Amino acid sequence: MEHDETTKWEELDIDILVKIFQRFDVFELTSGIGHICSTWRLAACDPLLWKTLDLSMLRSNFIKIPLEPYVYVDGRSDKQLTRLLKIALNLSRGSITTLIFHFNLYVSDDQLTYTAERTPNLKRLVLPAWNRIKRTGICKAISKWNNLESLTMPSIANPPYFMEEISKHCKKFSELKIMGPCDMLCVQTLIRCVPNLKVLSLRVSIVYKDALLLILNGLKNLEVLNISHSLIIDAPPPPATRKVVTELDDSIFKKASRLRQFLTCMDDESCIMCHRMKLDEGLVRWYKYEEGLWKEDEVTSLAV
């Protein structure tokens, strides 16, 4: 009788298991493979698997409502996210440095603070939907992320309180993407709270011309500015009427010449994104277009 030398799955070397698990997505990694045996558990907790927690394929099951928070999320959808976060954050053991949420994944305060407490080494956060996150929730989360360097966020009505938390707790912060309108208050807040900002992306947004000039004058350490496909609005004092700027003047390019990169695109005839921006009047309806389009950015480090 011949001896069977076939290696059993549970007897595989941990390094081999880790290489296999690297091909898995987050749903497969959290499906229970860590419960098979102690070797699989060790492999499933390997830091190589958990540098990035990418939830950009997971969306909330929601309906829009007329009052704050303007979305109602189905309970089962919430439970699915909570379960996935608990398993992933237990397996990751604090290894996560990049965390990505979908544009339509509406995280609650409890989910965000739970995540923040278990990701102390986070460097990059992509969180474009804040509908259900209150001031106390985001401030508590930011206080846990002392290593945060890069953030993708929506436009918010009261930026000072948030950027003050960034200024207080995130000394290495240098990269910001705002998905939404950028006005004078927003820029004044950036200059005051994050003067060392190096990269700023305002692509596919409404950017006021006076705010753009203030960015170029006030953010002295800025190296990269992206305003591609944005509507640049000139809003002079009344009785003059506001208008869309169709071409940037030489004074703006002169001020931007000190930057390493100044990325612009204002061609709604040959550029499909500029055309869509014009059709949507500055507030892009991402759901109408290709899945994942919101992830794109001309600044490589900000693309998802």
Side-chain angles (χ1 to χ4, degrees), residues 202-203 212 225-230 232 248 262-265:
L202 304 171
R203 77 184 302 270
L212 175 58
L225 175 60
N226 186 12
I227 58 168
S228 299
H229 326 299
S230 290
I232 310 301
L248 296 176
F262 180 44
L263 300 159
T264 70
C265 182

Side-chain angles (χ1 to χ4, degrees), residues 117-140:
E117 286 165 0
R118 287 155 181 81
T119 53
N121 297 307
L122 195 70
K123 292 182 179 180
R124 183 186 182 199
L125 174 64
V126 177
L127 185 63
W130 286 23
N131 296 58
R132 300 172 68 204
I133 300 171
K134 297 181 176 64
R135 177 173 180 159
T136 51
I138 193 66
C139 289
K140 185 176 179 182

Side-chain angles (χ1 to χ4, degrees), residues 22-204:
Q22 281 179 306
R23 297 176 178 270
F24 291 6
D25 62 27
V26 66
F27 298 108
E28 292 166 327
L29 286 172
T30 57
S31 63
I33 59 174
H35 296 300
I36 291 174
C37 65
S38 58
T39 305
W40 281 50
R41 176 74 179 182
L42 280 173
C45 293
D46 193 287
L48 283 174
L49 303 176
W50 297 107
K51 292 299 181 188
T52 297
L53 179 55
D54 186 353
L55 301 178
S56 64
M57 74 295 289
L58 183 65
R59 289 188 271 185
S60 298
N61 184 19
F62 71 97
I63 57 171
K64 291 185 177 181
I65 56 176
L67 302 174
E68 285 191 15
Y70 305 113
V71 292
Y72 171 78
V73 177
D74 173 67
R76 285 177 298 177
S77 180
D78 245 357
K79 286 179 181 176
Q80 180 192 17
L81 176 58
T82 297
R83 179 183 175 278
L84 191 149
L85 284 171
K86 283 185 175 180
I87 298 171
L89 296 172
N90 282 335
L91 290 172
S92 67
R93 297 179 178 178
S95 299
I96 295 167
T97 56
T98 297
L99 180 57
I100 302 167
F101 292 96
H102 191 279
F103 188 80
N104 285 327
L105 185 56
Y106 296 100
V107 181
S108 69
D109 274 344
D110 287 345
Q111 289 166 338
L112 184 66
T113 52
Y114 177 85
T115 301
E117 286 165 0
R118 287 155 181 81
T119 53
N121 297 307
L122 195 70
K123 292 182 179 180
R124 183 186 182 199
L125 174 64
V126 177
L127 185 63
W130 286 23
N131 296 58
R132 300 172 68 204
I133 300 171
K134 297 181 176 64
R135 177 173 180 159
T136 51
I138 193 66
C139 289
K140 185 176 179 182
I142 289 298
S143 71
K144 305 290 184 184
W145 287 324
N146 295 322
N147 296 310
L148 192 68
E149 299 173 6
S150 174
L151 173 67
T152 295
M153 62 177 282
S155 180
I156 56 174
N158 184 18
Y161 83 84
F162 173 68
M163 283 299 161
E164 284 164 6
E165 290 298 309
I166 292 276
S167 177
K168 191 188 304 180
H169 298 287
C170 311
K171 302 303 181 185
K172 299 175 183 176
F173 191 77
S174 63
E175 191 175 71
L176 177 66
K177 177 175 180 175
I178 301 175
M179 299 183 70
C182 179
D183 58 14
M184 287 294 281
L185 174 59
C186 179
V187 177
Q188 288 166 350
T189 302
L190 296 181
I191 292 169
R192 178 168 58 86
C193 296
V194 286
N196 294 321
L197 196 67
K198 289 183 169 56
V199 179
L200 177 61
S201 179
L202 304 171
R203 77 184 302 270
V204 197

Side-chain angles (χ1 to χ4, degrees), residues 252-301:
I252 290 175
F253 283 110
K254 187 174 180 180
K255 290 178 185 295
S257 63
R258 68 175 179 84
L259 301 175
R260 180 163 54 82
Q261 275 188 303
F262 180 44
L263 300 159
T264 70
C265 182
M266 301 171 67
D267 187 353
D268 59 21
E269 290 186 4
S270 61
C271 173
I272 189 168
M273 204 63 241
C274 286
H275 181 67
R276 288 167 171 173
M277 185 68 172
K278 185 178 180 180
L279 286 178
D280 290 342
E281 299 179 328
L283 295 172
V284 172
R285 277 70 168 175
W286 296 106
Y287 64 86
K288 295 195 302 186
Y289 307 121
E290 301 90 331
E291 174 60 32
L293 188 65
W294 66 271
K295 299 179 184 181
E296 296 180 5
D297 202 289
E298 289 73 16
V299 180
T300 308
S301 60

Side-chain angles (χ1 to χ4, degrees), residues 209-232:
K209 185 179 177 182
D210 54 358
L212 175 58
L213 289 167
L214 188 58
I215 288 169
L216 294 170
N217 287 327
L219 285 172
K220 305 293 187 184
N221 295 294
L222 196 67
E223 297 175 4
V224 178
L225 175 60
N226 186 12
I227 58 168
S228 299
H229 326 299
S230 290
L231 284 187
I232 310 301

